[in-house]
């Protein structure tokens, strides 16, 4: 089935959910141009989630996607947290931050029964998950109220697993993609494939529609993905400079600079590998560190460094999430960008 029919949209384009970089405004704008707008909920508490969902419903009657992480929350490990803070101590000294006063905090909450209760009031057309799927019981609830279900696969094995769980479509996330890798069956990063390798293999092996994500930044990229068997595309990075995004000033500056040409997978900011523009923290600690606490606990100790640096106009300690191809980032309204992405369909 065509993606447009499956979701009730005009264009086979999903504006990728990007936690921390966008909310309802970008989702509404992308939807208004005929794409599927997405609301990322990984960093929203219940009140903020309700406010954002209400805002979308008030401004748009179009279908939209609501996105959640579905990791298993880790148990806190005091020794590891102390080791992590010790690694960061030279930076705390530089910025005059009292490491003992930094609160430990989760930072990101997975999809749970409370989120499901709230979501049920809104019954979005699509619900997408990152890091696998929630429990069978929660998934059943989402399916029962009629939302279509998506999740990201980063390998052929993950795509097959998701199909066996009954998802309605699979997002094939190439290693070029910005933000967190969605992998959930294996932590082995050497198993992660580029989109030109992953997409045709997945499209051949599963029956559900496959949505290509990673490095797609213009109309030619969209057409290339469709030629390789994609039923649609999910585009993230290209939307980050749109006025409707809430991308920070430091992040916008990095995306517009030469620095955007060098990204890497890093676990320093959250504890899970994610692709971002290489900055001071990544350069000095190495983009991957065994000292970083498990996802999402690493973020707590970074937060005050990030806040201080950003208040001085620096992105040295910020997660500057970006895919490998930032060449499509434009400071134009998201509806216009969406139409440009669709120009060769
Ligand atoms: C700033 C940023 C934040 C992201 N946050 C999320 C998220 O909250 N949930 C999710 O499923 N994917 C997230 N992603 C990954 C996207 O869904 C998608 O895989 C990626 O943007 C596609 O690659 P591209 O950035 O090269 O277009 C994020 C990506 C970026 C760039």
């Amino acid at each position: 089935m065509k993606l447009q029919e499956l979701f009730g949209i005009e264009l086979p384009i999903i504006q990728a959910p990007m936690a921390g970089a966008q909310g309802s405004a970008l989702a509404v704008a992308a939807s208004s141009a005929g794409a599927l707008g997405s609301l990322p909920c990984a960093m929203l508490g219940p009140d903020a989630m309700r406010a954002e969902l209400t805002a979308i419903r008030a401004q748009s009657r179009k279908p939209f996607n609501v996105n959640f992480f579905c990791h298993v929350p880790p148990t806190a490990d005091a020794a590891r947290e102390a080791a992590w803070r010790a690694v960061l101590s030279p930076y705390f000294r530089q910025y005059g931050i009292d490491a003992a006063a930094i609160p430990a905090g989760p930072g990101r909450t997975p999809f749970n029964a409370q989120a499901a209760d709230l979501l049920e009031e809104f019954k979005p057309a699509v619900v997408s998950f990152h890091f696998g799927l929630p429990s069978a019981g929660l998934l059943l609830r989402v399916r029962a109220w009629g939302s279509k279900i998506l999740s990201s696969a980063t390998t052929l094995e993950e795509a097959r697993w998701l199909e066996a769980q009954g998802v309605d479509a699979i997002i094939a996330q190439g290693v070029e993609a910005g933000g967190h890798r969605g992998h959930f069956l294996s932590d082995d990063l050497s198993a992660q494939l580029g989109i030109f390798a992953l997409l045709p293999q997945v499209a051949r092996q599963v029956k559900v529609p496959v949505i290509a994500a990673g490095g797609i930044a213009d109309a030619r990229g969209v057409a290339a993905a469709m030629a390789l068997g994609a039923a649609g595309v999910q585009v993230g990075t290209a939307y980050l400079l749109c006025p409707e995004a809430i991308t920070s000033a430091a992040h916008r500056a990095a995306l517009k600079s030469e620095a955007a040409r060098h990204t890497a997978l890093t676990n320093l900011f959250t504890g899970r590998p994610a692709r971002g523009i290489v900055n001071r923290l990544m350069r000095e600690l190495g983009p991957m560190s065994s000292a970083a606490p498990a996802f999402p606990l690493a973020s707590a100790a970074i937060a005050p460094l990030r806040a201080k640096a950003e208040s001085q106009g620096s992105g040295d300690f910020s997660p500057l999430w970006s895919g490998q191809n930032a060449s499509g980032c434009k400071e134009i309204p998201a509806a216009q960008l969406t139409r440009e992405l669709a120009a060769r369909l």
Side-chain angles (χ1 to χ4, degrees):
M1 188 194 271
K2 280 180 84 170
L3 212 59
Q4 292 92 312
E5 288 163 32
L6 189 63
F7 300 155
I9 52 177
E10 292 142 54
L11 302 171
I13 296 175
I14 301 177
Q15 166 260 312
M18 296 187 286
Q22 55 120 165
S24 53
L26 187 68
V28 168
S31 289
S32 75
L36 185 70
S38 298
L39 178 70
C41 292
M43 295 170 77
L44 301 182
D47 292 345
M49 201 190 304
R50 177 181 293 284
E52 288 286 58
L53 289 166
T54 305
I56 293 179
R57 273 282 144 81
Q59 294 170 76
S60 171
R61 292 171 158 265
K62 305 252 182 161
F64 62 96
N65 169 38
V66 185
N67 170 260
F68 296 90
F69 286 176
C70 45
H71 55 285
V72 179
T75 37
D77 179 337
R80 199 155 167 205
E81 184 66 32
W84 181 227
R85 290 178 187 214
V87 169
L88 298 174
S89 60
Y91 304 120
F92 293 143
R93 269 196 299 281
Q94 183 193 332
Y95 283 95
I97 293 166
D98 176 7
I102 302 169
R108 286 158 179 82
T109 320
F111 187 63
N112 55 25
Q114 194 186 13
D117 290 344
L118 213 166
L119 205 57
E120 190 166 8
E121 293 176 35
F122 294 87
K123 299 184 176 58
V126 182
V127 176
S128 74
F129 297 103
H130 214 40
F131 315 144
L133 289 170
S135 69
L138 282 174
L139 201 62
L140 215 59
R141 285 191 60 188
V142 177
R143 192 169 288 129
W145 71 60
S147 297
K148 301 292 182 215
I149 295 168
L150 305 183
S151 183
S152 303
T154 66
T155 61
L156 192 54
E157 290 72 26
E158 288 176 349
R160 286 202 188 109
W161 187 92
L162 290 173
E163 182 175 48
Q165 311 305 310
V167 300
D168 295 286
I170 291 170
I171 302 155
Q173 190 195 31
V175 78
E176 302 90 334
H180 284 95
R181 305 292 313 138
H183 61 84
F184 56 93
L185 289 184
S186 161
D187 288 342
D188 181 357
L189 291 179
S190 69
Q192 300 285 294
L193 303 174
I195 195 64
F196 264 39
L198 178 65
L199 171 62
Q201 298 190 70
V202 171
R204 225 176 285 135
Q205 295 276 337
V206 302
K207 293 194 177 63
V208 293
V210 179
I211 297 151
I216 300 168
D218 57 22
R220 286 173 196 271
V222 173
M226 305 299 277
L228 283 177
V233 297
Q234 175 161 298
V235 177
T237 300
Y239 282 101
L240 284 172
L241 293 185
C242 293
E244 297 92 341
I246 55 167
T247 315
S248 70
H251 197 171
R252 284 178 190 266
L255 285 163
K256 287 193 263 183
S257 75
E258 283 296 311
R261 270 175 259 309
H262 187 191
T263 66
L265 292 179
T266 178
N267 68 344
L268 300 177
F269 298 101
T270 65
R272 264 191 85 112
R275 185 173 295 284
I277 297 169
V278 174
N279 61 0
R280 178 179 169 196
L281 189 70
M282 289 162 72
R283 245 187 321 271
E284 293 183 359
L285 298 188
M288 297 292 293
S289 167
S290 56
F295 181 87
L297 300 176
S299 58
I302 300 280
L305 287 168
R306 173 186 179 179
K308 285 254 177 164
E310 284 193 9
S311 74
Q312 297 166 13
S314 158
D316 281 353
F317 296 91
S318 306
L320 303 171
W321 299 153
S322 170
Q324 288 180 332
N325 186 2
S327 70
C329 293
K330 290 183 183 174
E331 295 173 285
I332 59 173
Q336 190 182 336
L337 185 72
T338 303
R339 283 190 291 272
E340 290 189 10
L341 288 167
R344 285 174 176 257
L345 286 172

